[in-house]
Amino acid sequence: MDKKDVCVIGAGVAGLTTALLLSKSSRYRIVVAAKHMPGDYDIEYASPWAGANYMPVSMRGTKDAQWDKDTWAPLADLARNHPDAGVHFQECEIHSRAKDVGSATADWFAELLSPNPWFKDVVPNFRELLKESLAPGIDSATAFTSVCINTAIYLPWLVSQCLKNGVIFKRAVLKHIREAAQFAPSGNVDMVINCTGLGASILGGVEDKSVVPARAQVVLVRNDAGKMMDFSGTDDGDGEACYIMTRAAGGGTILGGCYQKGNWESQVDPNLAVRIMNRAVAACPALTGGKGIEHLDIIRHGVGLRPVREGGTRVEKERIEGVWVVHNYGAGGAGYQSSYGCASNAVELVEEILAPASKL
Ligand code: FAD
């Protein structure tokens, strides 16, 4: 069979998941070319910093909600049947305070905070928590079974699954999307898949200026929270958030955070770090047995930039300088929880373009 040459640019969760789904077909010869690969920690590479869990913030009836919906079953399958992927089930509580209504964080989390979100019949055990069981200051809360991903295990696992299917990995920094042609043995690539995250804002041929960072700062600790928690807001101003998630397989617990749109700062803000830790131990006394932040055992502080695209994730096809490109970038804070939905959609677009030709 005449194989088609496909170059995936980017080795974050978007690029790796797309390459993996595409590599299930023997029709394609796939090269993943990326500046950063699993194992790297860099401000230009969002995926390793993520929590990462399944807490949909996509609004009912949108494409984003469909991508999130389509991702639940594959992530649950990994948690249930593939312990080597570093994904586990974890209970998750979403706490709302009436005073946060109208704040930036509460608006971002609007669907997640709803007592009747679209995903209530997708995730297991969705329920409202009894008012009497809530901590002082919390007005309502829901809970469900979610998953939490240990990104330090999961990203290399995605690479290993791709390698098993014959995908080739190359380190490369592309200035223009046309440079992807160099990765095809013939010098003519049949399809480029653009999974460059924040890089889509400067990659020649794409230069999508609607892609901007939403800065996240986290503290990774050895303490175990026992459950995931998320809150509608904090008393520390708009743009700050409080969430806690314990990763699978000894990955530690992520304490977050913030959502600072347009902020490219790569360095840790020490004052924000103290606020994050104070909020976390107050919200979840189990972390330190009711003691203060000096009883948190810190592994590292981290800063990551969520690749937000105004108008939502871009999964589309486009012809650039005579070459077909399928885009899959701009997932913001939802790159893991939408990963399989977006990647399957991208693969459908690839097949629409290349599969008819391959039947000749
Ligand atoms: P990236 O991971 O940034 O990868 C981009 C890739 O493209 C890299 O390999 C890069 O080197 C490459 N690249 C870019 N430009 C070029 C170029 N010109 N040439 C070659 N290579 C290039 N999401 C969730 O679903 N759940 C969560 O709980 C969650 N928590 C988060 C917590 C934090 C602290 C942060 C920072 C993010 C979180 N996210 C979460 C969001 C998630 O991490 C991102 O949506 C996701 O990682 C984006 O993946 P990506 O592959 O699009 O981009």
Side-chain angles (χ1 to χ4, degrees), residues 9-15 33-37 44-55 172-175 195-200 203 214 216-218 243 245 254 303-307 328-338:
I9 314 175
V13 67
K35 182 174 180 184
H36 303 97
M37 294 277 179
E44 293 177 19
Y45 189 29
S47 294
W49 300 109
N53 70 5
Y54 187 92
M55 275 191 197
V173 184
L174 282 75
K175 285 200 164 51
C195 302
T196 51
L198 212 43
L203 178 64
Q217 184 171 319
V218 294
Y243 57 84
M245 39 183 120
I254 289 276
V303 176
L305 302 180
R306 305 174 183 93
N328 178 7
Y329 66 83
Y336 284 85
Q337 65 201 19
S338 64

Side-chain angles (χ1 to χ4, degrees), residues 213-344:
R215 183 177 178 277
Q217 184 171 319
V218 294
V219 186
L220 181 64
V221 298
R222 294 188 177 83
N223 309 59
D224 198 332
K227 61 186 172 188
M228 293 193 279
M229 299 178 85
D230 201 4
F231 293 82
S232 57
T234 73
D235 293 333
D236 298 317
D238 258 9
E240 299 215 7
C242 178
Y243 57 84
I244 298 163
M245 39 183 120
T246 301
R247 288 168 161 176
T253 298
I254 289 276
L255 312 179
C258 62
Y259 192 87
Q260 299 170 335
K261 218 160 157 191
N263 187 343
W264 293 83
E265 179 56 60
S266 63
Q267 298 304 301
V268 169
D269 171 347
N271 291 319
L272 173 55
V274 170
R275 291 199 295 278
I276 289 172
M277 293 189 284
N278 273 323
R279 292 192 296 248
V281 298
C284 181
L287 270 172
T288 50
K291 297 179 181 156
I293 63 171
E294 62 278 18
H295 293 272
L296 288 172
D297 187 357
I298 299 172
I299 301 169
R300 75 162 77 90
H301 295 269
V303 176
L305 302 180
R306 305 174 183 93
V308 172
R309 181 169 177 270
E310 309 290 353
T313 310
R314 185 178 186 198
V315 183
E316 280 172 14
K317 58 185 175 183
E318 182 187 12
R319 221 167 152 82
I320 301 176
E321 297 192 3
V323 175
W324 274 113
V325 176
V326 167
H327 300 285
N328 178 7
Y329 66 83
Y336 284 85
Q337 65 201 19
S338 64
S339 55
Y340 285 89
C342 290
S344 320

Side-chain angles (χ1 to χ4, degrees), residues 5-347:
D5 284 307
V6 178
C7 175
V8 179
I9 314 175
V13 67
L16 296 175
T17 314
T18 309
L20 176 58
L21 297 191
L22 203 61
S23 71
K24 293 183 193 280
S25 160
S26 56
R27 281 201 294 270
Y28 309 110
R29 202 162 30 217
I30 304 163
V31 174
V32 175
K35 182 174 180 184
H36 303 97
M37 294 277 179
D40 301 346
Y41 282 87
D42 193 280
I43 194 65
E44 293 177 19
Y45 189 29
S47 294
W49 300 109
N53 70 5
Y54 187 92
M55 275 191 197
V57 292
S58 51
M59 301 303 285
R60 185 188 288 272
T62 60
K63 279 192 295 190
D64 305 72
Q66 189 60 48
W67 289 321
D68 288 352
K69 184 172 184 216
D70 293 345
T71 301
W72 172 256
L75 290 182
D77 175 58
L78 291 176
R80 197 172 291 118
N81 302 315
H82 301 273
D84 48 326
V87 183
H88 71 167
F89 288 113
Q90 207 178 33
E91 285 305 294
C92 160
E93 290 178 4
I94 314 295
H95 295 255
S96 293
R97 309 183 311 172
K99 63 179 169 181
D100 294 324
V101 171
S103 71
T105 307
D107 284 351
W108 173 34
F109 286 170
E111 188 80 30
L112 183 65
L113 297 170
S114 160
N116 185 29
W118 64 260
F119 58 86
K120 79 192 253 287
D121 301 320
V122 175
V123 293
N125 306 319
F126 185 93
R127 61 206 183 274
E128 278 190 72
L129 297 180
L130 293 174
K131 181 100 177 83
E132 311 79 83
S133 67
L134 305 179
I138 303 298
D139 296 294
S140 62
T142 56
F144 55 92
T145 304
S146 181
V147 290
C148 192
I149 300 167
N150 182 342
T151 61
I153 294 178
Y154 183 58
L155 293 169
W157 181 85
L158 286 172
V159 172
S160 70
Q161 302 309 298
C162 287
L163 289 169
K164 267 205 263 185
N165 291 351
V167 175
I168 293 164
F169 285 83
K170 301 263 190 200
R171 286 272 183 176
V173 184
L174 282 75
K175 285 200 164 51
H176 195 283
I177 204 148
R178 77 168 82 85
E179 294 167 22
Q182 67 187 284
F183 301 107
S186 63
N188 270 321
V189 76
D190 296 292
M191 169 70 67
V192 179
I193 307 186
N194 172 25
C195 302
T196 51
L198 212 43
S201 63
I202 53 168
L203 178 64
V206 181
E207 290 169 274
D208 184 343
K209 299 302 177 201
S210 67
V211 181
V212 293
R215 183 177 178 277
Q217 184 171 319
V218 294
V219 186
L220 181 64
V221 298
R222 294 188 177 83
N223 309 59
D224 198 332
K227 61 186 172 188
M228 293 193 279
M229 299 178 85
D230 201 4
F231 293 82
S232 57
T234 73
D235 293 333
D236 298 317
D238 258 9
E240 299 215 7
C242 178
Y243 57 84
I244 298 163
M245 39 183 120
T246 301
R247 288 168 161 176
T253 298
I254 289 276
L255 312 179
C258 62
Y259 192 87
Q260 299 170 335
K261 218 160 157 191
N263 187 343
W264 293 83
E265 179 56 60
S266 63
Q267 298 304 301
V268 169
D269 171 347
N271 291 319
L272 173 55
V274 170
R275 291 199 295 278
I276 289 172
M277 293 189 284
N278 273 323
R279 292 192 296 248
V281 298
C284 181
L287 270 172
T288 50
K291 297 179 181 156
I293 63 171
E294 62 278 18
H295 293 272
L296 288 172
D297 187 357
I298 299 172
I299 301 169
R300 75 162 77 90
H301 295 269
V303 176
L305 302 180
R306 305 174 183 93
V308 172
R309 181 169 177 270
E310 309 290 353
T313 310
R314 185 178 186 198
V315 183
E316 280 172 14
K317 58 185 175 183
E318 182 187 12
R319 221 167 152 82
I320 301 176
E321 297 192 3
V323 175
W324 274 113
V325 176
V326 167
H327 300 285
N328 178 7
Y329 66 83
Y336 284 85
Q337 65 201 19
S338 64
S339 55
Y340 285 89
C342 290
S344 320
N345 197 167
V347 168

